[in-house]
Amino acid sequence: MAAGRRGSAAAPMRQAAGRREQAAATAAALKAAAVRVFDERGYLNTKITDITAAAGRAAGSFYNHFTGKQQLLEALLADMLAAGDARVQREHPYDHDLSDRAQLRWHVAGFWQAFRDNKTVFVAVTQAALVDERFAARLPELMSPDQAAMRQHLEYLAEKGVRLPGEPAAVAVALTGMWFQFAYQQLVSDFMGRIGRLSDDAAIDLLTDFSLRGLTGGNDHQPATRPARGQ
Amino acid sequence: MAAGRRGSAAAPMRQAAGRREQAAATAAALKAAAVRVFDERGYLNTKITDITAAAGRAAGSFYNHFTGKQQLLEALLADMLAAGDARVQREHPYDHDLSDRAQLRWHVAGFWQAFRDNKTVFVAVTQAALVDERFAARLPELMSPDQAAMRQHLEYLAEKGVRLPGEPAAVAVALTGMWFQFAYQQLVSDFMGRIGRLSDDAAIDLLTDFSLRGLTGGNDHQPATRPARGQ
DNA sequence: GTCTATACCGGGATAGAC
DNA sequence: GTCTATCCCGGTATAGAC
């Protein structure tokens, strides 16, 4: 508590590192701390000082790395999108027929996992968009890759003769909307949660079956209630 | 700009009214102004002074009627819920079988209309919940009447032998989630909107057909693509 | 009850020593 | 690059005249 030497207690190992690594390390520490704090309090309720405190740095230090809270969030968003792209490149090799339950389930499961992994950033960006034009403008970037891909798959289905409940683009919105909202309610929101909270597998199965029926009318394949866990 | 007589320009007719009516009138004016301003800027970006300015009243006057922004919002919410209850009492007489397309569509249409009528308050409450514990706690009240009713109807379906894609409670969450998200994207959000923006009728039809298929598997009734406008 | 004027405070952002 | 200390602004909420 005495006003003696300070600054080294938080991170002794920083002593030896060069300025460059120092900066990178602090920036990373701030980002990591921000994720933690956003998760607890929510983006909008978080003050700059909450972040620096959680990172064990001084308040003023923040501005050596970011111009403000939103810029930090943009950095987090960029990281997330980069990781997401990499994942798709890696694991999205085969052609799609969403009227096939296994393939549809693979899609749903991928979405679910991505949402779960990134929910803090996801929610923070959503919150930021409510207040900040700039983020509102960037939201499509977040959603539309999914939605655009989905639309293409649906157009393919339509060509194949499946009678969708509406235009592919609109159906894509309804479909991804349901997924998103369901994931949000299951994984994020506390309220209304205790009724109907499911395991990940059960949730994915429900979305898969619901989606399959909605898209195909349920006539094209086996009844949706089969176990089908091994896909 | 001169410091002459003021206060009467905004509402000359107020002169004659008693204190009581005065107060009621001002409170109402503030609420109405708030709705307008929330709609433009969003709840979170709105300052008390924005509301008073829009209502043509002085800033300090606000606190004669409300303790703060949230209390005003609570008043709006109460009004809305009261109106909603009245509507259900009035128009919800007959028994439900959601596997019947006409009845299902009636439900969807009712939801859609309620959302459209109240979207400003709806969105404001959602925003408030992000920042304010108190509102987060009240959100279930907003959603759960729909969801609880829906769950009952689904349980009824299940008893009737319809094979739902999951537990009634969970399916209710997915279903109302899809409706809500779709309505939000169609009626509120600007981004991602230009693709797939539909007329009200088309949107309701899409949700109806998607829901019907999802619930029943599409086997219990006529193909979903029929016009069926007259319900 | 409504108005104007202002006290007050949280918190973002900067200055300058180390 | 990091720290402490501080400035300063926007905005809420109150005081007090009419």
Side-chain angles (χ1 to χ4, degrees), chain B residues 44-109:
Chain B
L44 293 175
N45 283 330
T46 296
K47 317 302 167 203
I48 303 281
T49 51
D50 294 333
I51 299 173
T52 53
R57 310 297 160 101
S61 221
F62 184 92
Y63 298 93
N64 287 326
H65 305 278
F66 307 100
T67 64
K69 202 169 54 159
Q70 347 96 319
Q71 208 210 36
L72 190 161
L73 181 56
E74 276 175 34
L76 290 176
L77 176 58
D79 292 351
M80 180 183 109
L81 291 176
D85 284 353
R87 178 184 168 280
V88 169
Q89 295 284 323
R90 204 166 56 242
E91 302 182 14
H92 201 289
Y94 63 87
D95 246 9
H96 291 90
D97 175 0
L98 294 185
S99 66
D100 176 61
R101 190 181 187 282
Q103 293 189 40
L104 178 58
R105 194 183 192 283
W106 183 90
H107 253 278
V108 174

Side-chain angles (χ1 to χ4, degrees), chain A residues 1-204:
Chain A
M1 282 313 149
R5 276 237 145 283
R6 350 218 172 87
S8 49
M13 77 295 290
R14 272 187 283 148
Q15 306 272 10
R19 288 279 163 106
R20 267 243 123 71
E21 297 93 327
Q22 273 270 8
T26 297
L30 287 171
K31 286 201 274 186
V35 171
R36 263 179 285 132
V37 172
F38 290 167
D39 202 42
E40 284 167 21
R41 277 167 259 241
Y43 173 81
L44 293 175
N45 282 330
T46 297
K47 318 299 168 206
I48 303 280
T49 50
D50 294 334
I51 300 173
T52 53
R57 309 299 159 103
S61 221
F62 183 91
Y63 298 93
N64 287 325
H65 306 278
F66 307 99
T67 64
K69 200 169 57 161
Q70 347 96 321
Q71 207 209 39
L72 189 160
L73 180 55
E74 276 175 34
L76 290 176
L77 176 57
D79 293 351
M80 180 184 110
L81 290 176
D85 285 353
R87 179 185 167 280
V88 169
Q89 296 284 323
R90 205 166 56 242
E91 302 182 14
H92 201 288
Y94 64 87
D95 247 9
H96 291 90
D97 175 359
L98 295 186
S99 66
D100 176 61
R101 190 182 188 280
Q103 292 188 40
L104 178 58
R105 194 184 193 283
W106 183 90
H107 254 278
V108 174
F111 165 84
W112 195 266
Q113 190 59 39
F115 189 98
R116 179 181 265 294
D117 290 343
N118 300 294
K119 67 173 186 169
T120 302
V121 175
F122 229 76
V123 170
V125 172
T126 309
Q127 291 191 5
L130 294 176
V131 171
D132 187 339
E133 289 289 318
R134 189 167 168 183
F135 272 102
R138 297 203 57 187
L139 260 189
E141 223 177 301
L142 239 172
M143 309 299 199
S144 66
D146 276 329
Q147 243 171 50
M150 184 62 66
R151 202 191 66 239
Q152 287 183 344
H153 296 155
L154 295 181
E155 280 162 356
Y156 171 72
L157 275 190
E159 283 165 21
K160 230 189 59 175
V162 175
R163 309 204 58 174
L164 299 174
E167 286 301 310
V171 174
V173 172
L175 199 64
T176 56
M178 176 172 70
W179 294 5
F180 181 88
Q181 187 73 8
F182 196 67
Y184 189 92
Q185 290 183 5
Q186 289 284 323
L187 299 177
V188 178
S189 75
D190 287 329
F191 41 88
M192 99 176 24
R194 70 197 72 119
I195 304 174
R197 177 142 283 164
L198 304 174
S199 71
D200 281 8
D201 264 359
I204 292 168

Side-chain angles (χ1 to χ4, degrees), chain A residues 44 123 125-132 135-136 139-140 143 147 170 173-178 180-182 184-185, chain B residues 38-45 108 111-130 139 142-143 175-200 203-204 206-207:
Chain A
L44 293 175
V123 170
V125 172
T126 309
Q127 291 191 5
L130 294 176
V131 171
D132 187 339
F135 272 102
L139 260 189
M143 309 299 199
Q147 243 171 50
V173 172
L175 199 64
T176 56
M178 176 172 70
F180 181 88
Q181 187 73 8
F182 196 67
Y184 189 92
Q185 290 183 5
Chain B
F38 290 168
D39 202 41
E40 284 167 23
R41 277 168 260 242
Y43 173 79
L44 293 175
N45 283 330
V108 174
F111 166 83
W112 194 266
Q113 190 58 40
F115 190 97
R116 179 180 265 297
D117 289 344
N118 300 293
K119 67 174 186 168
T120 302
V121 175
F122 229 76
V123 170
V125 172
T126 309
Q127 291 191 6
L130 293 176
L139 260 189
L142 239 172
M143 310 300 199
L175 198 65
T176 56
M178 176 171 71
W179 294 5
F180 181 88
Q181 187 73 10
F182 196 67
Y184 189 92
Q185 290 183 3
Q186 289 282 325
L187 299 177
V188 179
S189 77
D190 288 328
F191 42 88
M192 97 175 26
R194 72 198 69 121
I195 305 174
R197 179 144 283 164
L198 305 174
S199 71
D200 281 8
I204 292 168
L206 189 154
L207 283 181

Side-chain angles (χ1 to χ4, degrees), chain B residues 6 19 26 58 64-65:
Chain B
R6 343 211 177 92
R19 287 280 164 105
T26 296
N64 287 326
H65 305 278

